[in-house]
């Protein structure tokens, strides 16, 4: 047709449609996906489409593209360290991925709605943090000052699903209140003789003795997997996320962790909650 919306592509238009329409378009688009995509990945993507956490379209060039809106939390403690998810660990091994805590923005949610859900149900930090430029009135649904949101758009292949994905990430900042602490099972370390530390660990010598907390994943496709969290200085966070040495050190760090027996398995938790108990 001759309908044109300036500075807006087909993917953005679909993101503005209702969940039912998005689901119909997404399921049709999946018919054009890589025929070699595994059944587990296809089922996971179908679940995301139905839940409104992902939008999937076929581009004008005929390729399949996924779009995900993410709300992330940059949480500082009293000494200026950042709370970071350093990766996932399971009996099958580790998956290093240092990033800020976040949640997918669901259809119909504002940034404030997603942030409130992240803090209240996923991070369990609703009354333990102080927002930066955020009104805390529930009736205002955690309205955000425009200057308190950092927006970034990236496009890459999803490691979990193997499909080209456009990520719209919106990051908000907050501070853990004085005297508050993380309340979650801590992870122990293997003995030093079990592995050889990378040659560059001298850059941050205490990193491999840092307290780490493990939280069970509740999704059906992630049973037996736990997310690991730790406080990092801004310099440590940049090192682990922006350098090849940092990626190698992150892998070594995760592989040195041993899950304590006190952590409940995901199967024993509410499969619908995806709760992170801090």
């Amino acid at each position: 047709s001759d309908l044109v919306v300036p500075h807006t592509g087909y993917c953005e238009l679909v993101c503005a449609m209702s969940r039912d329409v998005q689901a119909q378009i997404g399921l049709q688009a999946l018919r054009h996906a890589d025929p070699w995509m595994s059944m587990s990945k296809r089922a996971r993507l179908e679940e995301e489409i139905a839940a409104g956490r992902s939008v999937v379209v076929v581009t004008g060039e005929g390729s399949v593209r996924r779009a995900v809106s993410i709300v992330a939390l940059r949480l500082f403690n009293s000494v200026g360290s950042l709370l970071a998810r350093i990766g996932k660990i399971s009996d099958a091994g580790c998956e290093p991925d240092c990033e800020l805590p976040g949640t997918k923005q669901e259809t119909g949610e504002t940034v404030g709605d997603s942030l409130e859900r992240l803090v209240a149900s996923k991070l369990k930090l609703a009354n333990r943090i102080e927002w930066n430029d955020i009104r805390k009135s529930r009736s205002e649904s955690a309205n955000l000052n425009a200057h308190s949101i950092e927006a970034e758009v990236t496009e890459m292949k999803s490691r979990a699903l193997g499909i080209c994905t456009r990520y719209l990430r919106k990051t908000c900042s907050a501070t853990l209140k004085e005297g508050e602490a993380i309340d979650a099972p801590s992870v122990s370390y293997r003995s030093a003789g079990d592995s050889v530390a990378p040659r560059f660990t001298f850059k941050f010598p205490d990193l491999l003795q840092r307290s780490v907390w493990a939280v069970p994943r509740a999704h059906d496709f992630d049973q037996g997997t736990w997310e690991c969290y730790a406080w990092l200085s801004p310099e440590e966070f940049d090192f682990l996320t922006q350098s090849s040495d940092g990626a190698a050190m992150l892998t070594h760090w995760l592989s040195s962790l041993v899950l304590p027996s006190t952590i409940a398995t995901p199967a024993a938790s509410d499969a619908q909650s995806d709760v992170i108990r801090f």
Side-chain angles (χ1 to χ4, degrees), residues 44 83-91 93-104 118 121-123 160 182 184-187 211-219 221-230 250 254 257-260 263-266 273-278:
R44 178 172 177 175
L83 182 66
R85 194 194 77 155
I86 60 174
K88 294 186 287 188
I89 188 171
S90 69
D91 291 338
C94 65
E95 183 179 327
D97 185 18
C98 188
E99 62 182 6
L100 299 176
T103 188
K104 291 175 182 174
L118 169 67
S121 64
K122 192 176 184 183
L123 296 179
I182 293 178
S186 60
V187 178
S211 295
V212 176
W213 296 271
V215 180
R217 295 279 294 180
H219 286 306
F221 46 77
D222 271 334
Q223 286 191 14
T225 301
W226 290 265
E227 294 182 334
C228 297
Y229 290 79
L250 187 61
L254 284 173
L257 300 177
V258 179
L259 290 173
I263 296 183
T265 60
S273 65
D274 191 20
V275 169
I276 289 183
R277 295 180 177 82
F278 277 3

Short mmCIF file of all heavy atoms in Angstrom, two decimals, residues 44 83-91 93-104 118 121-123 160 182 184-187 211-219 221-230 250 254 257-260 263-266 273-278:
data_model
loop_
_atom_site.label_atom_id
_atom_site.label_comp_id
_atom_site.label_asym_id
_atom_site.label_seq_id
_atom_site.Cartn_x
_atom_site.Cartn_y
_atom_site.Cartn_z
N ARG A 44 10.25 -22.57 22.47
CA ARG A 44 10.53 -21.44 23.34
C ARG A 44 10.13 -20.13 22.68
O ARG A 44 9.54 -19.25 23.31
CB ARG A 44 12.01 -21.42 23.70
CG ARG A 44 12.41 -20.24 24.58
CD ARG A 44 13.84 -20.38 25.05
NE ARG A 44 14.26 -19.22 25.84
CZ ARG A 44 15.42 -19.14 26.46
NH1 ARG A 44 16.28 -20.14 26.40
NH2 ARG A 44 15.75 -18.07 27.16
N LEU A 83 25.14 -4.09 40.85
CA LEU A 83 24.66 -5.46 40.87
C LEU A 83 24.63 -5.98 39.44
O LEU A 83 24.01 -5.36 38.56
CB LEU A 83 23.26 -5.54 41.48
CG LEU A 83 22.69 -6.96 41.59
CD1 LEU A 83 23.48 -7.80 42.57
CD2 LEU A 83 21.22 -6.91 42.00
N ALA A 84 25.28 -7.10 39.18
CA ALA A 84 25.35 -7.65 37.83
C ALA A 84 25.01 -9.12 37.83
O ALA A 84 25.33 -9.85 38.77
CB ALA A 84 26.75 -7.45 37.24
N ARG A 85 24.34 -9.54 36.78
CA ARG A 85 24.16 -10.97 36.55
C ARG A 85 25.38 -11.43 35.75
O ARG A 85 25.61 -10.95 34.63
CB ARG A 85 22.89 -11.24 35.74
CG ARG A 85 22.49 -12.71 35.76
CD ARG A 85 21.47 -13.03 34.71
NE ARG A 85 22.10 -13.13 33.39
CZ ARG A 85 21.59 -13.85 32.38
NH1 ARG A 85 20.47 -14.49 32.53
NH2 ARG A 85 22.20 -13.90 31.23
N ILE A 86 26.17 -12.32 36.32
CA ILE A 86 27.42 -12.69 35.66
C ILE A 86 27.27 -13.93 34.77
O ILE A 86 28.22 -14.30 34.07
CB ILE A 86 28.54 -12.92 36.69
CG1 ILE A 86 28.18 -14.05 37.66
CG2 ILE A 86 28.84 -11.64 37.45
CD1 ILE A 86 29.31 -14.42 38.62
N GLY A 87 26.10 -14.55 34.77
CA GLY A 87 25.88 -15.68 33.89
C GLY A 87 24.99 -16.73 34.52
O GLY A 87 24.39 -16.51 35.58
N LYS A 88 24.92 -17.88 33.85
CA LYS A 88 24.10 -18.99 34.33
C LYS A 88 24.97 -20.22 34.51
O LYS A 88 25.98 -20.39 33.83
CB LYS A 88 22.97 -19.29 33.33
CG LYS A 88 21.95 -18.17 33.22
CD LYS A 88 20.78 -18.53 32.34
CE LYS A 88 21.14 -18.57 30.88
NZ LYS A 88 19.95 -18.74 30.00
N ILE A 89 24.55 -21.07 35.44
CA ILE A 89 25.31 -22.28 35.75
C ILE A 89 24.33 -23.43 35.93
O ILE A 89 23.22 -23.26 36.44
CB ILE A 89 26.17 -22.06 37.02
CG1 ILE A 89 27.11 -23.24 37.25
CG2 ILE A 89 25.31 -21.77 38.22
CD1 ILE A 89 28.13 -22.98 38.35
N SER A 90 24.75 -24.61 35.49
CA SER A 90 23.92 -25.80 35.62
C SER A 90 24.81 -27.03 35.61
O SER A 90 26.04 -26.92 35.48
CB SER A 90 22.91 -25.89 34.46
OG SER A 90 23.58 -26.14 33.24
N ASP A 91 24.21 -28.21 35.73
CA ASP A 91 24.99 -29.44 35.68
C ASP A 91 25.70 -29.60 34.35
O ASP A 91 26.73 -30.27 34.25
CB ASP A 91 24.07 -30.65 35.93
CG ASP A 91 23.57 -30.69 37.37
OD1 ASP A 91 24.21 -30.09 38.24
OD2 ASP A 91 22.52 -31.34 37.60
N GLY A 93 27.16 -27.25 32.71
CA GLY A 93 28.28 -26.31 32.58
C GLY A 93 27.83 -24.90 32.89
O GLY A 93 26.84 -24.68 33.58
N CYS A 94 28.58 -23.93 32.36
CA CYS A 94 28.27 -22.53 32.65
C CYS A 94 28.06 -21.76 31.35
O CYS A 94 28.54 -22.14 30.29
CB CYS A 94 29.38 -21.88 33.47
SG CYS A 94 30.97 -21.77 32.62
N GLU A 95 27.31 -20.67 31.46
CA GLU A 95 27.05 -19.78 30.33
C GLU A 95 27.37 -18.36 30.77
O GLU A 95 26.54 -17.67 31.33
CB GLU A 95 25.59 -19.89 29.90
CG GLU A 95 25.24 -19.07 28.67
CD GLU A 95 23.79 -19.22 28.27
OE1 GLU A 95 23.22 -20.32 28.46
OE2 GLU A 95 23.21 -18.23 27.77
N PRO A 96 28.60 -17.90 30.56
CA PRO A 96 28.99 -16.55 31.00
C PRO A 96 28.27 -15.48 30.21
O PRO A 96 28.16 -15.55 28.99
CB PRO A 96 30.50 -16.52 30.75
CG PRO A 96 30.74 -17.53 29.68
CD PRO A 96 29.73 -18.61 29.90
N ASP A 97 27.77 -14.48 30.90
CA ASP A 97 27.08 -13.38 30.23
C ASP A 97 26.88 -12.27 31.26
O ASP A 97 25.89 -12.24 31.97
CB ASP A 97 25.74 -13.84 29.67
CG ASP A 97 25.05 -12.76 28.86
OD1 ASP A 97 25.73 -11.80 28.46
OD2 ASP A 97 23.83 -12.88 28.62
N CYS A 98 27.82 -11.37 31.35
CA CYS A 98 27.77 -10.30 32.34
C CYS A 98 26.88 -9.17 31.84
O CYS A 98 27.14 -8.59 30.78
CB CYS A 98 29.18 -9.79 32.63
SG CYS A 98 29.26 -8.63 34.01
N GLU A 99 25.85 -8.86 32.59
CA GLU A 99 24.92 -7.81 32.20
C GLU A 99 24.15 -7.32 33.42
O GLU A 99 24.20 -7.92 34.49
CB GLU A 99 23.94 -8.32 31.14
CG GLU A 99 23.07 -9.47 31.62
CD GLU A 99 22.14 -10.00 30.55
OE1 GLU A 99 22.26 -9.54 29.39
OE2 GLU A 99 21.29 -10.85 30.87
N LEU A 100 23.41 -6.22 33.24
CA LEU A 100 22.58 -5.69 34.31
C LEU A 100 21.32 -6.54 34.45
O LEU A 100 20.86 -7.14 33.47
CB LEU A 100 22.19 -4.24 34.01
CG LEU A 100 23.32 -3.22 33.87
CD1 LEU A 100 22.76 -1.86 33.48
CD2 LEU A 100 24.11 -3.12 35.16
N PRO A 101 20.73 -6.61 35.65
CA PRO A 101 19.45 -7.30 35.80
C PRO A 101 18.40 -6.65 34.91
O PRO A 101 18.39 -5.43 34.73
CB PRO A 101 19.11 -7.10 37.29
CG PRO A 101 20.41 -6.78 37.95
CD PRO A 101 21.22 -6.04 36.93
N GLY A 102 17.52 -7.45 34.33
CA GLY A 102 16.51 -6.89 33.45
C GLY A 102 15.36 -7.83 33.24
O GLY A 102 15.36 -8.98 33.70
N THR A 103 14.34 -7.34 32.52
CA THR A 103 13.17 -8.13 32.20
C THR A 103 12.66 -7.71 30.84
O THR A 103 12.85 -6.56 30.42
CB THR A 103 12.07 -7.96 33.26
OG1 THR A 103 11.02 -8.89 33.01
CG2 THR A 103 11.49 -6.56 33.26
N LYS A 104 12.01 -8.62 30.14
CA LYS A 104 11.42 -8.28 28.85
C LYS A 104 10.15 -7.47 29.07
O LYS A 104 9.32 -7.82 29.91
CB LYS A 104 11.13 -9.54 28.05
CG LYS A 104 12.38 -10.27 27.59
CD LYS A 104 12.06 -11.58 26.91
CE LYS A 104 13.34 -12.31 26.52
NZ LYS A 104 13.07 -13.66 25.97
N LEU A 118 9.70 -5.92 37.53
CA LEU A 118 11.05 -6.41 37.75
C LEU A 118 11.45 -6.30 39.21
O LEU A 118 11.97 -7.24 39.81
CB LEU A 118 12.03 -5.62 36.89
CG LEU A 118 13.53 -5.80 37.17
CD1 LEU A 118 13.96 -7.22 36.81
CD2 LEU A 118 14.36 -4.78 36.39
N SER A 121 8.41 -8.34 41.70
CA SER A 121 8.21 -9.79 41.62
C SER A 121 9.47 -10.56 41.29
O SER A 121 9.64 -11.69 41.73
CB SER A 121 7.13 -10.12 40.59
OG SER A 121 7.54 -9.73 39.29
N LYS A 122 10.37 -9.96 40.53
CA LYS A 122 11.55 -10.71 40.11
C LYS A 122 12.73 -10.49 41.05
O LYS A 122 13.36 -11.44 41.49
CB LYS A 122 11.93 -10.31 38.68
CG LYS A 122 12.96 -11.24 38.05
CD LYS A 122 13.21 -10.83 36.60
CE LYS A 122 14.17 -11.82 35.94
NZ LYS A 122 14.51 -11.44 34.55
N LEU A 123 13.00 -9.24 41.37
CA LEU A 123 14.15 -8.94 42.24
C LEU A 123 13.80 -8.86 43.72
O LEU A 123 14.69 -8.87 44.56
CB LEU A 123 14.80 -7.62 41.81
CG LEU A 123 15.42 -7.60 40.41
CD1 LEU A 123 16.00 -6.23 40.11
CD2 LEU A 123 16.51 -8.66 40.30
N ALA A 160 20.58 -17.67 22.58
CA ALA A 160 19.65 -18.68 23.10
C ALA A 160 18.77 -19.29 22.01
O ALA A 160 18.44 -20.47 22.06
CB ALA A 160 18.78 -18.08 24.20
N ILE A 182 21.59 -8.30 50.14
CA ILE A 182 20.98 -9.32 49.31
C ILE A 182 20.71 -10.56 50.15
O ILE A 182 21.58 -11.02 50.89
CB ILE A 182 21.90 -9.67 48.12
CG1 ILE A 182 21.99 -8.47 47.18
CG2 ILE A 182 21.40 -10.90 47.38
CD1 ILE A 182 22.91 -8.68 46.01
N ALA A 184 19.85 -14.15 49.52
CA ALA A 184 19.72 -15.27 48.59
C ALA A 184 20.83 -16.27 48.91
O ALA A 184 21.83 -15.90 49.53
CB ALA A 184 19.83 -14.78 47.15
N PRO A 185 20.68 -17.52 48.51
CA PRO A 185 21.73 -18.52 48.78
C PRO A 185 23.05 -18.12 48.12
O PRO A 185 23.08 -17.73 46.95
CB PRO A 185 21.17 -19.80 48.16
CG PRO A 185 19.70 -19.57 48.08
CD PRO A 185 19.51 -18.12 47.84
N SER A 186 24.13 -18.20 48.88
CA SER A 186 25.45 -17.88 48.33
C SER A 186 26.08 -19.13 47.73
O SER A 186 25.72 -20.26 48.06
CB SER A 186 26.36 -17.31 49.41
OG SER A 186 26.54 -18.23 50.45
N VAL A 187 27.02 -18.90 46.84
CA VAL A 187 27.68 -19.98 46.12
C VAL A 187 29.10 -20.13 46.65
O VAL A 187 29.80 -19.16 46.88
CB VAL A 187 27.72 -19.67 44.61
CG1 VAL A 187 28.45 -20.77 43.84
CG2 VAL A 187 26.30 -19.51 44.07
N SER A 211 31.68 -12.54 46.85
CA SER A 211 30.41 -13.22 47.16
C SER A 211 29.55 -13.28 45.92
O SER A 211 29.39 -12.29 45.19
CB SER A 211 29.67 -12.47 48.27
OG SER A 211 30.39 -12.50 49.48
N VAL A 212 29.00 -14.46 45.66
CA VAL A 212 28.13 -14.68 44.51
C VAL A 212 26.84 -15.34 45.01
O VAL A 212 26.88 -16.22 45.86
CB VAL A 212 28.81 -15.59 43.46
CG1 VAL A 212 27.85 -15.89 42.32
CG2 VAL A 212 30.09 -14.95 42.95
N TRP A 213 25.71 -14.89 44.47
CA TRP A 213 24.41 -15.45 44.85
C TRP A 213 23.80 -16.16 43.66
O TRP A 213 23.88 -15.68 42.53
CB TRP A 213 23.47 -14.35 45.34
CG TRP A 213 23.95 -13.68 46.59
CD1 TRP A 213 23.69 -14.05 47.88
CD2 TRP A 213 24.81 -12.53 46.68
NE1 TRP A 213 24.32 -13.21 48.76
CE2 TRP A 213 25.03 -12.26 48.05
CE3 TRP A 213 25.42 -11.70 45.74
CZ2 TRP A 213 25.80 -11.21 48.50
CZ3 TRP A 213 26.21 -10.65 46.18
CH2 TRP A 213 26.40 -10.41 47.55
N ALA A 214 23.19 -17.31 43.91
CA ALA A 214 22.57 -18.11 42.84
C ALA A 214 21.06 -18.14 43.03
O ALA A 214 20.56 -18.31 44.14
CB ALA A 214 23.13 -19.52 42.85
N VAL A 215 20.35 -17.97 41.92
CA VAL A 215 18.89 -17.94 41.94
C VAL A 215 18.36 -18.91 40.90
O VAL A 215 18.76 -18.85 39.74
CB VAL A 215 18.38 -16.50 41.63
CG1 VAL A 215 16.87 -16.46 41.65
CG2 VAL A 215 18.96 -15.51 42.63
N PRO A 216 17.47 -19.83 41.28
CA PRO A 216 16.96 -20.80 40.31
C PRO A 216 16.07 -20.18 39.26
O PRO A 216 15.25 -19.32 39.55
CB PRO A 216 16.18 -21.79 41.18
CG PRO A 216 15.77 -21.00 42.38
CD PRO A 216 16.89 -20.02 42.62
N ARG A 217 16.24 -20.62 38.04
CA ARG A 217 15.34 -20.23 36.96
C ARG A 217 14.07 -21.06 37.07
O ARG A 217 14.10 -22.23 37.44
CB ARG A 217 16.00 -20.49 35.61
CG ARG A 217 17.22 -19.63 35.35
CD ARG A 217 16.86 -18.24 34.88
NE ARG A 217 16.23 -18.30 33.57
CZ ARG A 217 15.79 -17.22 32.92
NH1 ARG A 217 15.91 -16.03 33.47
NH2 ARG A 217 15.23 -17.34 31.74
N ALA A 218 12.93 -20.45 36.72
CA ALA A 218 11.66 -21.16 36.87
C ALA A 218 11.05 -21.57 35.54
O ALA A 218 10.08 -22.30 35.52
CB ALA A 218 10.66 -20.28 37.64
N HIS A 219 11.60 -21.07 34.41
CA HIS A 219 11.05 -21.45 33.12
C HIS A 219 11.22 -22.94 32.86
O HIS A 219 12.23 -23.53 33.21
CB HIS A 219 11.73 -20.66 31.99
CG HIS A 219 11.30 -19.23 31.92
ND1 HIS A 219 9.98 -18.86 31.85
CD2 HIS A 219 12.02 -18.07 31.90
CE1 HIS A 219 9.91 -17.52 31.79
NE2 HIS A 219 11.13 -17.04 31.82
N PHE A 221 11.94 -24.35 30.14
CA PHE A 221 13.10 -24.63 29.28
C PHE A 221 14.42 -24.37 29.99
O PHE A 221 15.47 -24.57 29.41
CB PHE A 221 13.01 -23.81 27.99
CG PHE A 221 12.67 -22.35 28.20
CD1 PHE A 221 13.61 -21.45 28.64
CD2 PHE A 221 11.38 -21.90 27.93
CE1 PHE A 221 13.29 -20.12 28.83
CE2 PHE A 221 11.06 -20.57 28.12
CZ PHE A 221 12.01 -19.67 28.57
N ASP A 222 14.38 -23.89 31.22
CA ASP A 222 15.61 -23.60 31.96
C ASP A 222 15.70 -24.40 33.25
O ASP A 222 16.43 -24.04 34.16
CB ASP A 222 15.70 -22.10 32.29
CG ASP A 222 16.38 -21.31 31.19
OD1 ASP A 222 17.19 -21.92 30.47
OD2 ASP A 222 16.11 -20.12 31.04
N GLN A 223 14.96 -25.49 33.37
CA GLN A 223 15.01 -26.27 34.59
C GLN A 223 16.42 -26.80 34.82
O GLN A 223 17.09 -27.26 33.91
CB GLN A 223 14.02 -27.44 34.51
CG GLN A 223 12.56 -26.99 34.68
CD GLN A 223 11.63 -28.15 34.88
OE1 GLN A 223 12.06 -29.27 35.14
NE2 GLN A 223 10.33 -27.90 34.78
N GLY A 224 16.84 -26.70 36.08
CA GLY A 224 18.19 -27.13 36.41
C GLY A 224 19.24 -26.06 36.18
O GLY A 224 20.43 -26.32 36.31
N THR A 225 18.81 -24.85 35.86
CA THR A 225 19.72 -23.73 35.60
C THR A 225 19.54 -22.65 36.65
O THR A 225 18.43 -22.35 37.06
CB THR A 225 19.46 -23.14 34.20
OG1 THR A 225 19.64 -24.16 33.21
CG2 THR A 225 20.40 -21.98 33.90
N TRP A 226 20.65 -22.06 37.08
CA TRP A 226 20.62 -20.98 38.07
C TRP A 226 21.36 -19.76 37.54
O TRP A 226 22.38 -19.89 36.86
CB TRP A 226 21.27 -21.43 39.37
CG TRP A 226 20.48 -22.46 40.12
CD1 TRP A 226 19.61 -22.26 41.14
CD2 TRP A 226 20.51 -23.88 39.91
NE1 TRP A 226 19.09 -23.45 41.58
CE2 TRP A 226 19.62 -24.47 40.83
CE3 TRP A 226 21.21 -24.71 39.01
CZ2 TRP A 226 19.41 -25.82 40.90
CZ3 TRP A 226 20.98 -26.07 39.07
CH2 TRP A 226 20.09 -26.62 40.02
N GLU A 227 20.81 -18.59 37.84
CA GLU A 227 21.46 -17.33 37.50
C GLU A 227 22.35 -16.90 38.66
O GLU A 227 21.96 -17.03 39.83
CB GLU A 227 20.43 -16.24 37.22
CG GLU A 227 19.60 -16.51 35.97
CD GLU A 227 18.63 -15.38 35.69
OE1 GLU A 227 18.23 -14.68 36.65
OE2 GLU A 227 18.23 -15.22 34.53
N CYS A 228 23.53 -16.39 38.34
CA CYS A 228 24.48 -15.96 39.36
C CYS A 228 24.63 -14.45 39.35
O CYS A 228 24.76 -13.85 38.28
CB CYS A 228 25.84 -16.62 39.14
SG CYS A 228 25.80 -18.42 39.30
N TYR A 229 24.61 -13.84 40.53
CA TYR A 229 24.69 -12.38 40.68
C TYR A 229 25.82 -12.01 41.63
O TYR A 229 26.14 -12.75 42.57
CB TYR A 229 23.37 -11.83 41.23
CG TYR A 229 22.23 -11.90 40.24
CD1 TYR A 229 21.54 -13.09 40.03
CD2 TYR A 229 21.84 -10.78 39.51
CE1 TYR A 229 20.50 -13.16 39.12
CE2 TYR A 229 20.80 -10.84 38.61
CZ TYR A 229 20.14 -12.04 38.41
OH TYR A 229 19.11 -12.10 37.51
N ALA A 230 26.43 -10.85 41.38
CA ALA A 230 27.51 -10.37 42.24
C ALA A 230 27.59 -8.84 42.13
O ALA A 230 27.12 -8.25 41.16
CB ALA A 230 28.85 -10.99 41.85
N LEU A 250 35.59 -14.32 33.06
CA LEU A 250 34.22 -14.59 33.47
C LEU A 250 33.91 -16.08 33.37
O LEU A 250 33.28 -16.67 34.26
CB LEU A 250 33.25 -13.78 32.61
CG LEU A 250 31.78 -13.81 33.01
CD1 LEU A 250 31.58 -13.26 34.41
CD2 LEU A 250 30.95 -13.01 32.00
N LEU A 254 32.88 -18.45 36.62
CA LEU A 254 31.68 -19.27 36.71
C LEU A 254 32.01 -20.75 36.87
O LEU A 254 31.35 -21.46 37.62
CB LEU A 254 30.80 -19.06 35.48
CG LEU A 254 30.00 -17.76 35.42
CD1 LEU A 254 29.32 -17.62 34.07
CD2 LEU A 254 28.98 -17.69 36.53
N LEU A 257 32.60 -22.06 40.44
CA LEU A 257 31.52 -22.01 41.42
C LEU A 257 30.89 -23.38 41.63
O LEU A 257 30.77 -24.18 40.71
CB LEU A 257 30.44 -21.03 40.96
CG LEU A 257 30.88 -19.58 40.76
CD1 LEU A 257 29.71 -18.75 40.24
CD2 LEU A 257 31.44 -18.98 42.05
N VAL A 258 30.48 -23.63 42.87
CA VAL A 258 29.78 -24.87 43.22
C VAL A 258 28.45 -24.48 43.85
O VAL A 258 28.41 -23.74 44.83
CB VAL A 258 30.59 -25.71 44.23
CG1 VAL A 258 29.82 -26.98 44.60
CG2 VAL A 258 31.95 -26.06 43.66
N LEU A 259 27.37 -24.98 43.29
CA LEU A 259 26.05 -24.65 43.83
C LEU A 259 25.85 -25.32 45.18
O LEU A 259 26.10 -26.52 45.32
CB LEU A 259 24.95 -25.09 42.88
CG LEU A 259 24.85 -24.30 41.57
CD1 LEU A 259 23.85 -24.94 40.65
CD2 LEU A 259 24.46 -22.87 41.86
N PRO A 260 25.40 -24.57 46.19
CA PRO A 260 25.15 -25.18 47.50
C PRO A 260 23.92 -26.07 47.46
O PRO A 260 23.00 -25.86 46.70
CB PRO A 260 24.92 -23.97 48.42
CG PRO A 260 24.42 -22.90 47.50
CD PRO A 260 25.13 -23.12 46.19
N ILE A 263 20.06 -24.77 47.74
CA ILE A 263 19.24 -24.11 46.74
C ILE A 263 18.15 -25.06 46.27
O ILE A 263 18.42 -26.17 45.88
CB ILE A 263 20.09 -23.66 45.53
CG1 ILE A 263 21.09 -22.61 45.99
CG2 ILE A 263 19.23 -23.10 44.42
CD1 ILE A 263 21.93 -22.05 44.86
N ALA A 264 16.91 -24.56 46.29
CA ALA A 264 15.80 -25.37 45.81
C ALA A 264 15.88 -25.48 44.30
O ALA A 264 16.28 -24.56 43.61
CB ALA A 264 14.46 -24.74 46.22
N THR A 265 15.50 -26.63 43.76
CA THR A 265 15.51 -26.80 42.32
C THR A 265 14.37 -26.03 41.70
O THR A 265 13.32 -25.82 42.32
CB THR A 265 15.36 -28.28 41.95
OG1 THR A 265 14.11 -28.75 42.46
CG2 THR A 265 16.49 -29.10 42.52
N PRO A 266 14.52 -25.58 40.43
CA PRO A 266 13.44 -24.86 39.77
C PRO A 266 12.15 -25.64 39.73
O PRO A 266 11.07 -25.06 39.77
CB PRO A 266 14.01 -24.61 38.37
CG PRO A 266 15.49 -24.64 38.55
CD PRO A 266 15.72 -25.65 39.63
N SER A 273 6.40 -18.07 37.93
CA SER A 273 6.82 -16.83 38.58
C SER A 273 8.14 -16.29 38.09
O SER A 273 8.36 -15.10 38.11
CB SER A 273 6.91 -17.07 40.10
OG SER A 273 7.91 -18.01 40.39
N ASP A 274 9.07 -17.12 37.66
CA ASP A 274 10.41 -16.70 37.27
C ASP A 274 10.99 -15.77 38.32
O ASP A 274 11.48 -14.68 38.05
CB ASP A 274 10.38 -16.01 35.91
CG ASP A 274 11.78 -15.79 35.35
OD1 ASP A 274 12.73 -16.47 35.80
OD2 ASP A 274 11.92 -14.93 34.48
N VAL A 275 10.89 -16.17 39.59
CA VAL A 275 11.23 -15.30 40.70
C VAL A 275 12.72 -15.32 40.99
O VAL A 275 13.35 -16.36 40.96
CB VAL A 275 10.44 -15.72 41.96
CG1 VAL A 275 10.97 -15.01 43.20
CG2 VAL A 275 8.96 -15.42 41.79
N ILE A 276 13.27 -14.16 41.25
CA ILE A 276 14.62 -14.05 41.77
C ILE A 276 14.49 -13.58 43.22
O ILE A 276 13.96 -12.49 43.48
CB ILE A 276 15.46 -13.05 40.96
CG1 ILE A 276 15.77 -13.65 39.59
CG2 ILE A 276 16.74 -12.70 41.68
CD1 ILE A 276 16.66 -12.78 38.74
N ARG A 277 14.92 -14.40 44.15
CA ARG A 277 14.69 -14.08 45.56
C ARG A 277 15.93 -13.42 46.14
O ARG A 277 16.89 -14.08 46.48
CB ARG A 277 14.34 -15.36 46.32
CG ARG A 277 13.03 -15.97 45.87
CD ARG A 277 12.69 -17.23 46.61
NE ARG A 277 11.40 -17.76 46.21
CZ ARG A 277 11.17 -18.50 45.15
NH1 ARG A 277 12.17 -18.79 44.35
NH2 ARG A 277 9.96 -18.93 44.88
N PHE A 278 15.91 -12.09 46.22
CA PHE A 278 17.00 -11.32 46.81
C PHE A 278 16.59 -10.88 48.21
O PHE A 278 15.46 -10.55 48.45
CB PHE A 278 17.31 -10.09 45.97
CG PHE A 278 18.20 -10.37 44.81
CD1 PHE A 278 18.64 -11.65 44.52
CD2 PHE A 278 18.63 -9.34 44.00
CE1 PHE A 278 19.48 -11.90 43.46
CE2 PHE A 278 19.46 -9.58 42.92
CZ PHE A 278 19.88 -10.86 42.65
#
